[in-house]
Amino acid sequence: MIIDCAIYRRGHREDTSHEPDDLAEVIAELADTDDFLWIGLYEPSLEELTRIAEPLKLHPLAIEDAVEAHQRPKVERYDDHLFMSLKTVTYTNDNIETAEINAFLGQRYLVTVRHGEGHDLRDVRKRAESDEHELEHGAIAALYAVVDSVVDEYEDVAAELETDVQEVEESVFSIVRTSDSSRIYRLKRETLEFRRAVMPLREPVQRFALGAMPEDAQPYFRDIADHLSRVSESIDATDKLLDNALSAHLAQLSIQQNDDMRKLTAGAALFAIPTAIAGVYGMNFEHMPELTWTFGYPLVLGLTAVLCAYVYVRFKRSGWL
């Protein structure tokens, strides 16, 4: 349940007990210092999280939200702590997969609850620990490290989506006949999933940047807000490009169908000439032109060939063949 648990004194890590029953004593020791406790959990049950929540006095509603995955990204304030839920995003083979991180931020602690396999916070913690000056700012610095790593992943996903959209555009406008509609619809669906993860996070992060956090932390969250704005703009641009690509693809299909119909019409016209002549000479009338003439068949066949060649050349020049 508890993946990692450590105290950070002036940015330096000190391992502590992983037993929930010892948390009250640990928190009491940190009451008069700037040090903080960082607890990392992975998919705890309600009973397991409740044991940890009791000494930290976490709100019951926030505990329920942290246990249940599939929360909408949000930030909620309680009496002495803040609850934050955010989505992590990974992108492979035109498929976006989301996981979830929930965080409790108090004055002397940060509790992170992770669901899914998308974003391993152990790597985030190691990077934060490598810069001891960052964690000197307390638990809020640890929260910044978590949110910043998630938003950086958003930017990577946005760049990969843009690359795939460029591939679709090249395919749509290539001279080779392609079937891109299924991929375009799939990319639009994944873009929508990406939007659901990113857009709800913009407003609370903007609040952090504009005064909801201590003054020394606001520049860091302004940086995250700027990254989120870039990702949001990228999502909007990707969605519009996919709409344009779909419209262009449908237009290309319509043009290709028109070309096919013209070719079929031209072919039918070529066959109509010999059919008409053969139809006239196939009627068993007694009085027919050139009926007893030796060169009748060669003349009719030659005339048919000349007319067909003439019609073929005209269709070829007009682009119908």
Side-chain angles (χ1 to χ4, degrees), residues 40-319:
L41 307 174
Y42 179 71
E43 296 185 353
S45 65
L46 179 60
E47 293 75 16
E48 292 170 335
L49 185 56
T50 300
R51 290 182 60 196
I52 295 174
E54 288 177 353
L56 301 179
K57 300 179 181 180
L58 302 180
H59 197 280
L61 293 178
I63 295 172
E64 291 181 7
D65 288 345
V67 172
E68 294 291 335
H70 312 297
Q71 295 293 323
R72 185 177 184 270
K74 62 181 179 179
V75 175
E76 294 179 348
R77 285 190 174 276
Y78 297 96
D79 292 338
D80 58 351
H81 65 278
L82 177 148
F83 174 75
M84 185 174 191
S85 180
L86 60 159
K87 295 286 189 181
T88 64
V89 178
T90 55
Y91 182 67
T92 53
N93 299 324
D94 293 352
N95 184 41
I96 282 183
E97 296 181 359
T98 60
E100 188 171 316
I101 295 176
N102 298 309
F104 298 89
L105 176 67
Q107 187 175 5
R108 296 287 177 264
Y109 62 82
L110 175 68
V111 179
T112 55
V113 181
R114 184 166 61 91
H115 295 274
E117 301 292 339
H119 198 81
D120 195 341
L121 290 181
R122 287 174 293 191
D123 296 333
V124 177
R125 188 189 288 247
K126 288 178 182 178
R127 286 196 298 271
E129 290 171 352
S130 65
D131 184 2
E132 60 187 43
H133 298 293
E134 179 178 344
L135 294 181
E136 284 180 351
H137 294 88
I140 195 171
L143 178 64
Y144 162 77
V146 172
V147 178
D148 185 58
S149 68
V150 172
V151 174
D152 285 345
E153 198 170 62
Y154 289 168
E155 291 192 292
D156 294 338
V157 171
E160 292 176 10
L161 267 175
E162 289 178 357
T163 300
D164 285 348
V165 171
Q166 290 175 359
E167 292 177 0
V168 168
E169 289 178 323
E170 292 174 359
S171 177
V172 166
F173 292 104
S174 66
I175 60 175
V176 180
R177 291 198 177 191
T178 57
S179 179
D180 299 304
S181 55
S182 60
R183 190 181 186 194
I184 293 173
Y185 277 115
R186 186 167 61 252
L187 287 174
K188 280 188 67 67
R189 185 182 65 246
E190 300 309 316
T191 300
L192 177 61
E193 186 71 18
F194 192 22
R195 183 190 296 274
R196 289 172 179 166
V198 174
M199 295 305 183
L201 196 60
R202 293 185 62 186
E203 192 270 335
V205 170
Q206 194 68 27
R207 291 205 311 267
F208 290 170
L210 297 178
M213 286 292 180
E215 186 174 354
D216 58 344
Q218 291 176 20
Y220 295 96
F221 284 95
R222 279 199 296 269
D223 180 65
I224 294 178
D226 180 60
H227 291 183
L228 277 174
S229 295
R230 290 205 301 267
V231 173
S232 300
E233 291 171 0
S234 177
I235 291 173
D236 290 337
T238 297
D239 194 44
K240 290 179 181 178
L241 287 173
L242 287 171
D243 285 337
N244 294 339
L246 181 58
S247 298
H249 178 62
L250 295 177
Q252 291 283 88
L253 289 178
S254 179
I255 292 172
Q256 290 170 1
Q257 289 174 351
N258 289 338
D259 288 339
D260 293 341
M261 289 301 299
R262 289 193 301 178
K263 291 177 180 179
L264 289 173
T265 302
L270 287 174
F271 281 102
I273 295 171
T275 300
I277 296 174
V280 170
Y281 278 86
M283 292 184 288
N284 297 318
F285 296 136
E286 181 177 353
H287 302 287
M288 294 185 66
E290 309 299 341
L291 187 60
T292 60
W293 188 26
T294 306
F295 299 101
Y297 275 110
L299 176 63
V300 171
L301 293 176
L303 179 62
T304 301
V306 170
L307 290 175
C308 288
Y310 172 75
V311 173
Y312 175 82
V313 171
R314 291 299 300 270
F315 278 135
K316 193 70 173 178
R317 287 179 178 177
S318 64

